[in-house]
Amino acid sequence: MTSKNTNSLNYINVDILSNVSKETFNDLYKKRRPIVLRGVDIGPCVERWTVDYLASKGGDREVKIHVSKTSQMDFINKNFMYRSLPFSELVKRASKTKQEEYFAEETEKYYLRALGDDPRKDIADIRVQFPNLASDINIPPFFPEEKFFSSVFRIASPDLQLWTHYDVMDNFLIQVQGRKRVVLFSPSSVNFLYMNGDKSEVLEIDTVDTFRFPLFSKAERYEVILEPGDILFIPALWFHNVISLEFGVAVNVFWKHLDDNMYDTKDTYGNKDLLPATRAFQITDRAIKALEEMPAEYRDFYARRLISRIEQKAVNHGDKSDDGFHSDKPDNEFHSVKLDDEFHRVKLED
């Protein structure tokens, strides 16, 4: 991978490999790094999935969509509306930059993240929700079939940008139509991304407000442009921000790479934190409340002790962890930044 600089932000190009076999992917998979697979047979969808074909074969089933007045969608502040359209109508609208019929304004943007028939209990599966289209796409058999979780149909208007977030499962982003820019951040950069839940508060990732987000430039950043037919492997916990440079059609395939008992069985979206992590967050909340019972100087002292203990017992400080996360910063620098960041979070709860 080679490093580059854009708008004063350094980034690393994601490797693009051609005609990768299952055996080769298995070797690459162990490195826990994003990688683009090019030339893998994903079926006739790349040639077939034109706007007219999708509208005809996809049918008129109602789909729930995001409608936004701006190209930059913000999930934290919800700068979009939820609406429903027949699938065929959505495809036609999303392929245009100006609308004859619209919900808010003629330049509005559309985004589909397909859901299960009953989102409360059903996962998204293109074979179930869109059987007439599913036969056109081959999902590479690069992971155990029994570990499959979901296959999510995604459609986006040109220039639409999705917020930076992470997923707890490994996944393939199979780009079928349109070019897409994907910016990724290493899990080891979590303390530089100003997280709100599983999403980053930094929306302008190219022109960052350094006053509000002074640590963002420290994040380990990767970039790639996906072409139709490309498959991007996104390992679990890797943050990603996606910009559709053109009308985009893609399928996301998620699988459980850990033991099933790690995942919430009621999570049909596949985006809830692992069960042990959820318990750890709950314990942390109780710890913060206990700290609040003490005077400020004691709270400060014991908060720092608690953070230091977590750092020592649970955080990897070597060049690489078992999951392939790493930092090129010296341990003492990385430790001090994380301490300050974590302590700041504790005080915000005050």
Side-chain angles (χ1 to χ4, degrees):
M1 296 186 179
T2 57
S3 295
K4 293 197 176 182
N5 183 284
T6 178
N7 295 311
S8 300
L9 294 171
N10 293 314
Y11 69 89
I12 302 168
N13 282 320
V14 176
D15 284 341
I16 300 175
L17 298 183
S18 297
N19 304 312
V20 172
S21 66
K22 181 177 181 179
E23 291 72 26
T24 301
F25 177 74
N26 286 340
D27 291 335
L28 297 168
Y29 179 81
K30 298 171 186 176
K31 297 181 179 180
R32 309 300 296 159
R33 294 275 175 178
I35 191 166
V36 172
L37 311 178
R38 183 166 287 174
V40 176
D41 179 20
I42 63 168
C45 52
V46 176
E47 293 78 26
R48 288 183 180 176
W49 284 8
T50 63
V51 172
D52 290 341
Y53 183 89
L54 287 170
S56 172
K57 289 287 187 177
D60 293 329
R61 65 173 288 144
E62 288 282 313
V63 290
K64 190 173 184 179
I65 58 173
H66 302 68
V67 181
S68 177
K69 293 182 181 180
T70 175
S71 60
Q72 191 174 70
M73 292 178 63
D74 178 0
F75 193 87
I76 295 173
N77 296 304
K78 300 290 195 300
N79 66 343
F80 53 82
M81 305 174 286
Y82 290 109
R83 294 291 185 269
S84 294
L85 278 176
F87 179 80
S88 57
E89 178 66 14
L90 162 69
V91 173
K92 294 173 184 176
R93 290 198 193 186
S95 66
K96 302 175 183 177
T97 55
K98 276 194 174 183
Q99 309 301 323
E100 296 176 2
E101 296 183 60
Y102 47 85
F103 295 105
E105 59 187 34
E106 62 180 6
T107 57
E108 65 192 19
K109 306 288 186 181
Y110 302 91
Y111 172 60
L112 168 70
R113 189 270 189 217
L115 305 173
D117 293 335
D118 183 347
R120 294 169 299 179
K121 61 181 182 180
D122 298 327
I123 62 165
D125 188 340
I126 189 173
R127 297 168 299 184
V128 176
Q129 285 89 45
F130 302 95
N132 293 336
L133 294 172
S135 58
D136 293 336
I137 186 168
N138 297 330
I139 297 174
F142 288 0
F143 60 89
E145 186 176 352
E146 67 274 13
K147 289 293 188 177
F148 170 85
F149 178 75
S150 65
S151 53
V152 182
F153 210 138
R154 298 186 189 270
I155 293 178
S157 294
D159 300 321
L160 190 72
Q161 179 178 6
L162 297 184
W163 51 87
T164 301
H165 67 284
Y166 68 87
D167 299 300
V168 298
M169 297 183 192
D170 286 346
N171 77 90
F172 284 140
L173 174 56
I174 305 174
Q175 189 65 19
V176 180
Q177 289 295 331
R179 297 166 68 246
K180 186 169 288 180
R181 177 186 174 212
V182 185
V183 180
L184 304 106
F185 301 93
S186 165
S188 64
S189 296
V190 61
N191 287 316
F192 308 133
L193 296 179
Y194 299 87
M195 299 303 296
N196 187 328
D198 64 342
K199 300 163 184 68
S200 170
E201 294 183 356
V202 184
L203 297 179
E204 298 282 355
I205 60 172
D206 292 327
T207 54
V208 181
D209 183 339
T210 55
F211 181 78
R212 288 184 63 198
F213 309 115
L215 297 179
F216 184 79
S217 62
K218 295 178 178 288
E220 186 180 352
R221 174 177 177 140
Y222 294 71
E223 292 200 19
V224 70
I225 302 292
L226 297 181
E227 304 287 345
D230 284 350
I231 302 172
L232 173 61
F233 168 55
I234 307 177
L237 304 184
W238 276 77
F239 299 90
H240 43 286
N241 184 292
V242 180
I243 303 116
S244 295
L245 303 177
E246 303 162 346
F247 167 62
V249 182
V251 176
N252 245 154
V253 181
F254 293 86
W255 68 91
K256 297 179 178 181
H257 63 293
L258 301 177
D259 291 339
D260 285 356
N261 60 9
M262 289 283 184
Y263 303 97
D264 188 334
T265 57
K266 297 179 181 179
D267 179 17
T268 58
Y269 286 81
N271 59 6
K272 289 186 179 180
D273 286 309
L274 298 180
L275 292 175
T278 300
R279 293 197 300 272
F281 281 128
Q282 293 168 346
I283 293 168
T284 302
D285 289 339
R286 293 198 295 271
I288 291 171
K289 287 186 177 180
L291 291 171
E292 289 173 347
E293 297 175 12
M294 294 182 283
E297 63 179 311
Y298 285 84
R299 183 174 67 240
D300 181 301
F301 175 77
Y302 285 108
R304 289 180 181 274
R305 282 200 61 193
L306 181 60
I307 294 165
S308 179
R309 185 173 181 182
I310 293 173
E311 286 275 333
Q312 293 170 10
K313 299 290 186 181
V315 177
N316 282 290
H317 293 293
D319 290 336
K320 186 179 291 186
S321 76
D322 293 339
D323 291 321
F325 307 161
H326 81 284
S327 172
D328 55 6
K329 298 174 177 58
D331 279 0
N332 57 350
E333 179 186 351
F334 192 61
H335 182 74
S336 64
V337 170
K338 292 184 75 174
L339 258 178
D340 288 344
D341 182 66
E342 290 292 342
F343 183 61
H344 181 57
R345 278 195 245 166
V346 170
K347 294 199 71 169
L348 282 178
E349 298 286 341
D350 192 356

